[in-house]
Amino acid sequence: MKNKRLTVLFGRSHTDHIPLVLTGHIGNMQGSTVYGSSQFNTDRSQFNLSAVSEYSRASSLAAIPGNYIGNTRGVDTFSITSRGAISGRSGDGCTDAGQVSQINPGKNLYRINMDIGRCADLNGNYSGLAALADDGQRRNAMLIVMISGAEYIISDVLDRR
């Protein structure tokens, strides 16, 4: 697979994020594990990514509805309806609207499309994936989200309230 430049955001709000440029290569896949390498500045790393057992769970829009809280852009609050509609707001004024949809009923993986507004350079259309995860005590206690837009990739773990 070709090396790809990614800009990943780290920070507490849309005004104090630190853009990082990562380059890397995804190598071969053996079973359900992908092996590869990455580089940040002069630091080189090897990695492997393996599927977790939660991926094999069935997905359903009935499992998604609720109120969630995250912290990528200050304190983010999201509400997801039983039909998959997303609405949200961050502590620093960003607004979110979008849709969650099921990809494959046999896998715990959902498609997300979202519009971010009132958020300076993060404004725009984003799409990506989400999965429900356990927190050690509660089943489906978190929603793990990774979305990308024209310039940014946003990743967050949203806690269900």
Side-chain angles (χ1 to χ4, degrees):
M1 192 176 278
K2 184 178 170 186
N3 287 347
K4 180 166 176 135
R5 177 189 162 145
L6 302 175
T7 303
V8 181
L9 297 182
F10 291 93
R12 302 181 74 152
S13 75
H14 70 276
T15 57
D16 75 350
H17 61 266
I18 302 165
L20 297 177
V21 177
L22 303 172
T23 58
H25 176 76
I26 295 178
N28 61 346
M29 183 171 178
Q30 296 175 357
S32 63
T33 302
V34 175
Y35 297 89
S37 62
S38 64
Q39 182 173 339
F40 173 68
N41 294 331
T42 59
D43 296 327
R44 294 174 188 240
S45 299
Q46 301 293 316
F47 64 84
N48 60 50
L49 306 171
S50 299
V52 295
S53 62
E54 292 160 330
Y55 175 65
S56 297
R57 286 186 191 159
S59 63
S60 167
L61 283 181
I64 292 280
N67 296 312
Y68 296 87
I69 189 165
N71 63 9
T72 297
R73 301 167 299 159
V75 176
D76 299 317
T77 57
F78 297 91
S79 179
I80 303 176
T81 70
S82 61
R83 293 188 177 178
I86 303 169
S87 61
R89 178 172 297 277
S90 69
D92 53 5
C94 301
T95 60
D96 306 293
Q99 186 71 35
V100 175
S101 59
Q102 193 177 31
I103 297 172
N104 176 344
K107 299 295 180 189
N108 175 22
L109 193 63
Y110 299 85
R111 179 175 292 109
I112 288 192
N113 294 299
M114 187 178 299
D115 292 318
I116 296 177
R118 302 176 69 184
C119 208
D121 58 339
L122 292 181
N123 287 344
N125 300 318
Y126 291 78
S127 61
L129 301 171
L132 289 165
D134 302 340
D135 68 0
Q137 298 174 3
R138 299 178 299 150
R139 183 179 171 105
N140 296 337
M142 300 176 290
L143 186 65
I144 301 169
V145 176
M146 171 120 5
I147 56 176
S148 63
E151 294 186 49
Y152 296 103
I153 295 172
I154 300 173
S155 177
D156 204 353
V157 176
L158 308 174
D159 293 314
R160 190 188 297 255
R161 295 292 169 201

Coordinates of all heavy atoms in Angstrom, one line a residue, residues 20-107:
L20 N -0.1 16.9 13.6 CA 1.1 16.0 13.4 C 1.0 15.4 12.0 O 0.0 15.0 11.5 CB 1.0 14.8 14.4 CG 1.1 15.2 15.9 CD1 1.0 13.9 16.7 CD2 2.4 15.9 16.2
V21 N 2.1 15.3 11.4 CA 2.2 14.7 10.0 C 2.9 13.3 10.2 O 4.0 13.2 10.6 CB 3.0 15.6 9.0 CG1 3.1 14.8 7.7 CG2 2.3 16.9 8.9
L22 N 2.2 12.3 9.9 CA 2.7 10.9 10.0 C 2.8 10.3 8.6 O 1.9 10.6 7.8 CB 1.7 10.0 10.8 CG 1.4 10.5 12.3 CD1 0.3 9.6 12.8 CD2 2.6 10.4 13.1
T23 N 3.8 9.6 8.4 CA 3.8 8.8 7.1 C 4.0 7.4 7.5 O 4.5 7.1 8.6 CB 5.0 9.3 6.2 OG1 6.2 9.2 6.9 CG2 4.8 10.7 5.8
G24 N 3.6 6.5 6.6 CA 3.8 5.1 7.0 C 3.5 4.2 5.8 O 3.2 4.6 4.7
H25 N 3.6 2.9 6.1 CA 3.3 1.9 5.2 C 2.6 0.7 5.8 O 3.0 0.3 6.9 CB 4.7 1.4 4.6 CG 4.5 0.3 3.6 ND1 4.1 0.5 2.3 CD2 4.7 -1.0 3.8 CE1 4.1 -0.7 1.7 NE2 4.5 -1.6 2.6
I26 N 1.5 0.3 5.2 CA 0.9 -0.9 5.7 C 1.4 -2.1 4.9 O 1.3 -2.1 3.7 CB -0.7 -0.8 5.6 CG1 -1.1 0.3 6.6 CG2 -1.3 -2.1 6.0 CD1 -2.6 0.6 6.5
G27 N 2.0 -3.0 5.6 CA 2.6 -4.1 4.9 C 1.6 -5.3 4.6 O 0.6 -5.1 4.1
N28 N 2.0 -6.5 5.1 CA 1.2 -7.6 4.8 C 0.2 -7.9 5.9 O 0.2 -7.4 7.0 CB 2.1 -8.9 4.6 CG 2.9 -9.1 5.9 OD1 3.0 -8.3 6.8 ND2 3.6 -10.3 5.9
M29 N -0.8 -8.8 5.6 CA -1.8 -9.2 6.5 C -1.7 -10.7 6.7 O -1.6 -11.4 5.7 CB -3.2 -8.8 6.0 CG -4.3 -9.1 6.9 SD -5.8 -8.4 6.3 CE -6.9 -8.9 7.5
Q30 N -1.7 -11.1 7.9 CA -1.7 -12.5 8.2 C -2.8 -12.8 9.2 O -2.9 -12.3 10.3 CB -0.3 -12.9 8.9 CG 0.9 -12.7 8.0 CD 2.2 -13.0 8.7 OE1 2.2 -13.3 9.9 NE2 3.3 -12.9 8.0
G31 N -3.8 -13.6 8.7 CA -5.0 -13.8 9.5 C -5.8 -12.5 9.6 O -6.1 -11.9 8.7
S32 N -6.0 -12.2 10.9 CA -6.7 -10.9 11.1 C -5.8 -9.8 11.6 O -6.3 -8.8 12.3 CB -7.9 -11.1 12.1 OG -7.4 -11.6 13.4
T33 N -4.5 -10.0 11.4 CA -3.5 -9.0 11.9 C -2.8 -8.3 10.7 O -2.4 -9.0 9.7 CB -2.5 -9.6 12.8 OG1 -3.1 -10.3 13.9 CG2 -1.5 -8.6 13.3
V34 N -2.7 -7.0 10.7 CA -2.1 -6.2 9.7 C -0.8 -5.7 10.3 O -0.7 -5.2 11.4 CB -2.9 -5.0 9.2 CG1 -2.2 -4.1 8.3 CG2 -4.2 -5.5 8.6
Y35 N 0.3 -5.8 9.6 CA 1.6 -5.4 10.0 C 2.1 -4.2 9.2 O 1.8 -4.1 8.0 CB 2.7 -6.5 9.9 CG 2.3 -7.7 10.8 CD1 1.5 -8.7 10.3 CD2 2.8 -7.8 12.1 CE1 1.2 -9.8 11.1 CE2 2.5 -8.8 12.9 CZ 1.7 -9.9 12.4 OH 1.3 -10.9 13.2
G36 N 2.8 -3.2 9.8 CA 3.3 -2.1 9.1 C 4.3 -1.3 9.8 O 4.8 -1.7 10.9
S37 N 4.6 -0.1 9.3 CA 5.6 0.8 9.9 C 5.1 2.2 9.8 O 4.3 2.5 8.9 CB 7.0 0.6 9.3 OG 6.9 0.9 7.9
S38 N 5.6 3.1 10.6 CA 5.3 4.5 10.6 C 6.5 5.3 10.9 O 7.5 4.8 11.5 CB 4.1 4.8 11.5 OG 4.5 4.6 12.8
Q39 N 6.4 6.6 10.6 CA 7.5 7.5 10.9 C 6.9 8.8 11.3 O 6.0 9.4 10.7 CB 8.5 7.7 9.7 CG 9.6 8.6 10.1 CD 10.7 8.7 9.0 OE1 10.7 7.8 8.1 NE2 11.5 9.7 9.0
F40 N 7.4 9.4 12.4 CA 7.1 10.8 12.9 C 8.4 11.4 13.1 O 9.2 11.0 14.0 CB 6.2 10.7 14.1 CG 6.0 12.1 14.7 CD1 5.3 13.0 14.0 CD2 6.6 12.4 15.9 CE1 5.1 14.3 14.6 CE2 6.4 13.7 16.5 CZ 5.6 14.6 15.8
N41 N 8.7 12.5 12.4 CA 10.0 13.1 12.4 C 11.1 12.1 12.1 O 11.0 11.4 11.1 CB 10.3 13.9 13.7 CG 9.3 15.1 13.8 OD1 8.9 15.7 12.9 ND2 9.0 15.4 15.1
T42 N 12.0 11.9 13.0 CA 13.0 10.8 12.8 C 12.7 9.5 13.5 O 13.5 8.6 13.5 CB 14.4 11.4 13.3 OG1 14.3 11.7 14.7 CG2 14.8 12.6 12.5
D43 N 11.6 9.5 14.3 CA 11.3 8.3 15.0 C 10.5 7.3 14.1 O 9.5 7.6 13.5 CB 10.4 8.6 16.2 CG 11.1 9.4 17.2 OD1 12.3 9.3 17.4 OD2 10.4 10.3 17.9
R44 N 11.0 6.1 14.0 CA 10.4 5.0 13.2 C 9.8 4.0 14.1 O 10.5 3.6 15.1 CB 11.4 4.4 12.2 CG 11.9 5.4 11.2 CD 13.0 4.8 10.3 NE 13.5 5.8 9.5 CZ 13.5 5.7 8.1 NH1 13.0 4.7 7.5 NH2 14.0 6.7 7.4
S45 N 8.7 3.5 13.8 CA 8.0 2.5 14.6 C 7.5 1.3 13.7 O 7.1 1.6 12.6 CB 6.9 3.1 15.4 OG 7.3 4.1 16.2
Q46 N 7.4 0.2 14.3 CA 6.7 -1.0 13.7 C 5.4 -1.1 14.4 O 5.3 -0.9 15.6 CB 7.6 -2.2 13.8 CG 8.9 -2.1 13.2 CD 8.8 -2.0 11.7 OE1 8.1 -2.8 11.0 NE2 9.6 -1.1 11.1
F47 N 4.4 -1.6 13.8 CA 3.1 -1.8 14.5 C 2.4 -3.0 13.9 O 2.7 -3.5 12.8 CB 2.2 -0.6 14.4 CG 1.8 -0.2 13.0 CD1 0.7 -0.8 12.4 CD2 2.5 0.7 12.2 CE1 0.3 -0.5 11.1 CE2 2.1 1.1 11.0 CZ 1.0 0.4 10.4
N48 N 1.4 -3.5 14.7 CA 0.5 -4.5 14.2 C -0.9 -4.2 14.7 O -1.0 -3.7 15.8 CB 1.0 -6.0 14.5 CG 1.1 -6.2 16.0 OD1 0.2 -5.9 16.7 ND2 2.2 -6.8 16.4
L49 N -1.8 -4.4 13.9 CA -3.2 -4.1 14.2 C -4.0 -5.4 14.1 O -4.0 -6.1 13.1 CB -3.8 -3.1 13.3 CG -3.1 -1.8 13.1 CD1 -3.6 -0.9 12.0 CD2 -3.1 -1.0 14.4
S50 N -4.7 -5.7 15.2 CA -5.5 -7.0 15.3 C -7.0 -6.7 15.6 O -7.2 -5.8 16.4 CB -4.9 -7.9 16.3 OG -3.6 -8.3 16.0
A51 N -7.8 -7.4 15.0 CA -9.3 -7.3 15.3 C -9.5 -7.7 16.7 O -8.9 -8.7 17.2 CB -10.1 -8.1 14.3
V52 N -10.5 -7.0 17.4 CA -10.9 -7.4 18.7 C -12.2 -8.2 18.6 O -12.9 -8.1 17.6 CB -11.1 -6.2 19.6 CG1 -9.7 -5.5 19.9 CG2 -12.1 -5.2 19.1
S53 N -12.5 -8.9 19.7 CA -13.7 -9.8 19.7 C -15.0 -9.0 19.5 O -16.0 -9.5 19.0 CB -13.7 -10.7 20.9 OG -13.8 -9.8 22.1
E54 N -15.0 -7.7 20.0 CA -16.2 -6.9 19.9 C -16.6 -6.7 18.4 O -17.7 -6.4 18.1 CB -16.0 -5.6 20.6 CG -15.9 -5.7 22.1 CD -15.2 -4.5 22.7 OE1 -14.3 -3.9 22.1 OE2 -15.5 -4.3 23.9
Y55 N -15.6 -6.8 17.5 CA -15.9 -6.6 16.1 C -16.9 -7.7 15.5 O -17.7 -7.4 14.7 CB -14.6 -6.6 15.2 CG -14.9 -6.5 13.7 CD1 -15.4 -5.4 13.2 CD2 -14.5 -7.6 12.9 CE1 -15.6 -5.3 11.8 CE2 -14.7 -7.5 11.6 CZ -15.3 -6.4 11.0 OH -15.5 -6.3 9.6
S56 N -16.9 -8.9 16.1 CA -17.7 -10.0 15.7 C -19.2 -9.9 16.2 O -20.0 -10.7 15.8 CB -17.1 -11.3 16.1 OG -15.9 -11.5 15.4
R57 N -19.5 -8.9 17.0 CA -20.8 -8.7 17.5 C -21.7 -8.2 16.3 O -21.3 -7.5 15.4 CB -20.9 -7.6 18.6 CG -20.4 -8.0 19.9 CD -20.7 -7.0 20.9 NE -19.9 -7.2 22.1 CZ -19.6 -6.3 23.0 NH1 -20.0 -5.1 22.8 NH2 -19.0 -6.6 24.0
A58 N -23.0 -8.5 16.4 CA -24.0 -8.0 15.5 C -24.1 -6.5 15.7 O -24.0 -6.0 16.8 CB -25.3 -8.7 15.6
S59 N -24.4 -5.8 14.6 CA -24.6 -4.3 14.8 C -26.1 -4.1 14.6 O -26.8 -4.9 13.9 CB -23.9 -3.5 13.7 OG -24.3 -3.9 12.4
S60 N -26.6 -3.0 15.2 CA -28.0 -2.7 15.1 C -28.2 -1.2 15.4 O -27.5 -0.7 16.4 CB -28.8 -3.5 16.1 OG -30.1 -3.0 16.2
L61 N -29.0 -0.5 14.7 CA -29.2 0.9 15.1 C -29.9 1.0 16.4 O -29.8 2.0 17.1 CB -30.1 1.6 14.0 CG -29.3 2.0 12.8 CD1 -30.2 2.7 11.8 CD2 -28.1 2.9 13.1
A62 N -30.6 -0.1 16.9 CA -31.2 -0.1 18.2 C -30.2 0.0 19.3 O -30.5 0.3 20.5 CB -32.1 -1.3 18.4
A63 N -28.9 -0.4 19.1 CA -27.9 -0.4 20.1 C -27.2 0.9 20.2 O -26.5 1.2 21.2 CB -26.8 -1.5 19.7
I64 N -27.3 1.8 19.3 CA -26.6 3.1 19.2 C -27.2 4.3 20.0 O -26.5 5.1 20.6 CB -26.4 3.5 17.7 CG1 -25.5 2.6 17.0 CG2 -25.9 5.0 17.6 CD1 -24.0 2.8 17.3
P65 N -28.6 4.4 20.0 CA -29.1 5.6 20.6 C -28.7 5.9 22.0 O -28.4 5.0 22.8 CB -30.7 5.3 20.6 CG -30.9 4.3 19.6 CD -29.6 3.5 19.6
G66 N -28.5 7.2 22.3 CA -28.1 7.7 23.6 C -27.4 9.0 23.6 O -27.3 9.6 22.5
N67 N -27.0 9.4 24.7 CA -26.2 10.6 24.9 C -24.7 10.2 25.2 O -24.5 9.3 26.0 CB -26.8 11.5 26.0 CG -28.1 11.9 25.7 OD1 -28.4 12.4 24.6 ND2 -29.1 11.7 26.7
Y68 N -23.8 10.9 24.5 CA -22.4 10.5 24.6 C -21.6 11.8 25.0 O -22.0 12.9 24.6 CB -21.9 10.0 23.3 CG -22.5 8.7 22.9 CD1 -23.7 8.6 22.2 CD2 -21.9 7.4 23.3 CE1 -24.3 7.4 21.8 CE2 -22.5 6.2 22.9 CZ -23.6 6.2 22.2 OH -24.2 5.0 21.8
I69 N -20.5 11.6 25.6 CA -19.6 12.7 25.9 C -18.1 12.4 25.5 O -17.7 11.2 25.7 CB -19.6 13.1 27.4 CG1 -18.9 14.4 27.6 CG2 -19.2 12.0 28.3 CD1 -19.2 15.1 28.9
G70 N -17.4 13.3 24.8 CA -16.0 13.1 24.4 C -15.2 14.3 24.8 O -15.7 15.2 25.4
N71 N -13.9 14.3 24.4 CA -13.1 15.5 24.8 C -12.1 15.9 23.8 O -11.1 16.5 24.1 CB -12.4 15.2 26.1 CG -11.5 14.0 26.1 OD1 -11.2 13.5 25.0 ND2 -11.0 13.6 27.2
T72 N -12.3 15.6 22.5 CA -11.4 16.0 21.5 C -11.3 17.5 21.3 O -10.3 18.1 21.1 CB -11.7 15.3 20.1 OG1 -11.5 13.9 20.3 CG2 -10.7 15.8 19.0
R73 N -12.5 18.2 21.4 CA -12.6 19.6 21.2 C -13.2 20.3 22.4 O -14.2 20.9 22.3 CB -13.4 19.9 19.9 CG -12.9 19.3 18.7 CD -14.0 19.4 17.6 NE -15.2 18.6 18.0 CZ -16.4 18.8 17.6 NH1 -16.6 19.7 16.6 NH2 -17.4 18.1 18.0
G74 N -12.5 20.3 23.5 CA -13.1 20.7 24.7 C -14.0 19.6 25.2 O -13.7 18.4 25.1
V75 N -15.2 19.9 25.7 CA -16.1 18.8 26.1 C -17.2 18.7 25.1 O -17.9 19.7 24.8 CB -16.8 19.1 27.5 CG1 -17.8 18.1 27.8 CG2 -15.7 19.2 28.6
D76 N -17.2 17.6 24.4 CA -18.2 17.4 23.3 C -19.3 16.6 23.8 O -19.1 15.6 24.5 CB -17.5 16.6 22.2 CG -16.4 17.3 21.5 OD1 -16.5 18.5 21.3 OD2 -15.4 16.6 21.3
T77 N -20.6 17.0 23.5 CA -21.7 16.2 23.9 C -22.5 15.9 22.6 O -22.6 16.7 21.7 CB -22.7 16.9 24.8 OG1 -23.1 18.2 24.3 CG2 -22.0 17.2 26.2
F78 N -22.9 14.6 22.5 CA -23.6 14.1 21.3 C -24.8 13.4 21.7 O -24.8 12.7 22.7 CB -22.7 13.1 20.5 CG -21.4 13.7 20.0 CD1 -20.3 13.7 20.7 CD2 -21.4 14.3 18.7 CE1 -19.1 14.2 20.2 CE2 -20.2 14.9 18.2 CZ -19.1 14.8 19.0
S79 N -25.8 13.5 20.9 CA -27.0 12.7 21.0 C -27.3 12.0 19.7 O -27.2 12.5 18.7 CB -28.2 13.7 21.3 OG -29.4 12.9 21.5
I80 N -27.6 10.7 19.8 CA -27.9 9.9 18.7 C -29.3 9.3 18.9 O -29.5 8.6 19.9 CB -26.8 8.8 18.5 CG1 -25.4 9.4 18.3 CG2 -27.2 7.9 17.2 CD1 -24.3 8.4 18.2
T81 N -30.1 9.5 17.9 CA -31.5 8.9 18.0 C -31.6 7.5 17.5 O -30.6 6.9 16.9 CB -32.5 9.8 17.1 OG1 -32.2 9.5 15.7 CG2 -32.3 11.3 17.4
S82 N -32.8 6.9 17.7 CA -33.0 5.5 17.2 C -32.9 5.3 15.7 O -32.8 4.2 15.2 CB -34.3 5.0 17.8 OG -35.4 5.8 17.3
R83 N -33.0 6.4 15.0 CA -32.9 6.4 13.5 C -31.5 6.7 13.1 O -31.2 6.9 11.9 CB -33.9 7.3 12.9 CG -35.3 6.8 13.1 CD -36.3 7.5 12.3 NE -37.6 6.9 12.5 CZ -38.7 7.4 12.0 NH1 -38.7 8.5 11.2 NH2 -39.8 6.8 12.2
G84 N -30.6 7.0 14.0 CA -29.2 7.2 13.7 C -28.8 8.7 13.5 O -27.7 9.0 13.1
A85 N -29.8 9.6 13.7 CA -29.5 11.1 13.6 C -28.5 11.5 14.7 O -28.8 11.2 15.9 CB -30.7 11.9 13.6
I86 N -27.5 12.3 14.4 CA -26.5 12.8 15.3 C -26.7 14.3 15.4 O -26.8 15.0 14.5 CB -25.1 12.5 14.8 CG1 -24.8 11.1 14.6 CG2 -24.1 13.1 15.8 CD1 -23.5 10.8 13.9
S87 N -26.7 14.8 16.7 CA -26.6 16.2 16.9 C -25.6 16.4 18.1 O -25.6 15.5 19.0 CB -28.0 16.8 17.2 OG -28.5 16.2 18.4
G88 N -24.9 17.5 18.0 CA -23.9 17.6 19.1 C -23.4 19.1 19.1 O -23.6 19.9 18.3
R89 N -22.7 19.3 20.2 CA -22.1 20.6 20.5 C -20.9 20.4 21.4 O -20.9 19.6 22.3 CB -23.1 21.5 21.2 CG -22.6 22.9 21.5 CD -23.7 23.8 22.0 NE -24.7 24.1 21.0 CZ -24.7 25.0 20.0 NH1 -23.6 25.7 19.9 NH2 -25.7 25.1 19.2
S90 N -19.8 21.2 21.1 CA -18.6 21.2 22.0 C -18.6 22.3 22.9 O -19.3 23.3 22.7 CB -17.4 21.2 21.1 OG -17.2 22.4 20.5
G91 N -17.8 22.2 24.0 CA -17.7 23.3 24.9 C -17.2 24.6 24.4 O -17.4 25.7 24.9
D92 N -16.5 24.6 23.2 CA -16.0 25.8 22.6 C -16.8 26.2 21.4 O -16.4 27.0 20.6 CB -14.5 25.6 22.2 CG -14.3 24.4 21.4 OD1 -15.2 23.7 21.0 OD2 -13.1 24.1 21.1
G93 N -18.1 25.7 21.3 CA -19.1 26.3 20.4 C -19.2 25.6 19.0 O -20.1 25.9 18.2
C94 N -18.4 24.5 18.8 CA -18.6 23.8 17.5 C -19.9 23.1 17.5 O -20.4 22.6 18.6 CB -17.5 22.7 17.4 SG -15.8 23.4 17.4
T95 N -20.5 22.9 16.4 CA -21.8 22.2 16.2 C -21.6 21.0 15.3 O -20.8 21.0 14.4 CB -22.9 23.1 15.7 OG1 -22.5 23.5 14.4 CG2 -23.2 24.2 16.6
D96 N -22.3 19.9 15.6 CA -22.2 18.7 14.8 C -23.6 18.2 14.4 O -24.6 18.3 15.2 CB -21.6 17.6 15.6 CG -20.2 18.0 16.2 OD1 -19.3 18.2 15.4 OD2 -20.1 18.1 17.4
A97 N -23.8 17.8 13.2 CA -25.0 17.2 12.7 C -24.7 16.1 11.7 O -23.7 16.2 10.9 CB -25.9 18.2 12.1
G98 N -25.3 14.9 11.8 CA -25.0 13.9 10.9 C -25.8 12.7 11.0 O -26.9 12.7 11.6
Q99 N -25.3 11.5 10.6 CA -26.1 10.3 10.5 C -25.1 9.1 10.7 O -24.0 9.1 10.2 CB -26.7 10.2 9.1 CG -27.7 9.0 9.0 CD -28.9 9.2 9.8 OE1 -29.5 10.3 9.9 NE2 -29.4 8.1 10.3
V100 N -25.6 8.2 11.5 CA -24.9 6.9 11.7 C -25.8 5.8 11.0 O -27.0 5.9 11.1 CB -24.9 6.5 13.2 CG1 -24.3 5.1 13.4 CG2 -24.1 7.5 14.0
S101 N -25.1 4.9 10.3 CA -25.8 3.9 9.6 C -25.1 2.6 9.7 O -23.9 2.5 9.9 CB -26.1 4.2 8.1 OG -24.8 4.4 7.5
Q102 N -25.8 1.5 9.6 CA -25.3 0.2 9.7 C -24.6 -0.2 8.4 O -25.1 0.1 7.3 CB -26.5 -0.8 10.0 CG -26.2 -2.1 10.4 CD -27.4 -2.9 10.7 OE1 -28.4 -2.7 10.1 NE2 -27.3 -3.8 11.7
I103 N -23.5 -0.9 8.5 CA -22.8 -1.3 7.3 C -23.1 -2.8 7.0 O -23.5 -3.2 5.9 CB -21.2 -1.2 7.4 CG1 -20.9 0.3 7.6 CG2 -20.5 -1.8 6.3 CD1 -19.5 0.6 7.9
N104 N -22.8 -3.7 8.0 CA -23.1 -5.1 7.8 C -23.7 -5.6 9.2 O -23.0 -5.5 10.2 CB -21.7 -5.8 7.6 CG -21.8 -7.3 7.6 OD1 -22.8 -7.9 8.0 ND2 -20.8 -7.9 7.0
P105 N -24.9 -6.1 9.1 CA -25.6 -6.5 10.4 C -24.7 -7.5 11.2 O -24.9 -7.6 12.4 CB -26.9 -7.1 9.9 CG -27.1 -6.6 8.6 CD -25.7 -6.4 8.0
G106 N -23.8 -8.2 10.6 CA -23.1 -9.2 11.3 C -21.8 -8.7 12.0 O -21.1 -9.5 12.6
K107 N -21.5 -7.4 11.8 CA -20.2 -6.9 12.3 C -20.5 -5.6 13.1 O -21.4 -4.7 12.7 CB -19.2 -6.6 11.2 CG -18.8 -7.8 10.4 CD -18.0 -8.7 11.3 CE -17.6 -10.0 10.5 NZ -17.1 -11.0 11.4

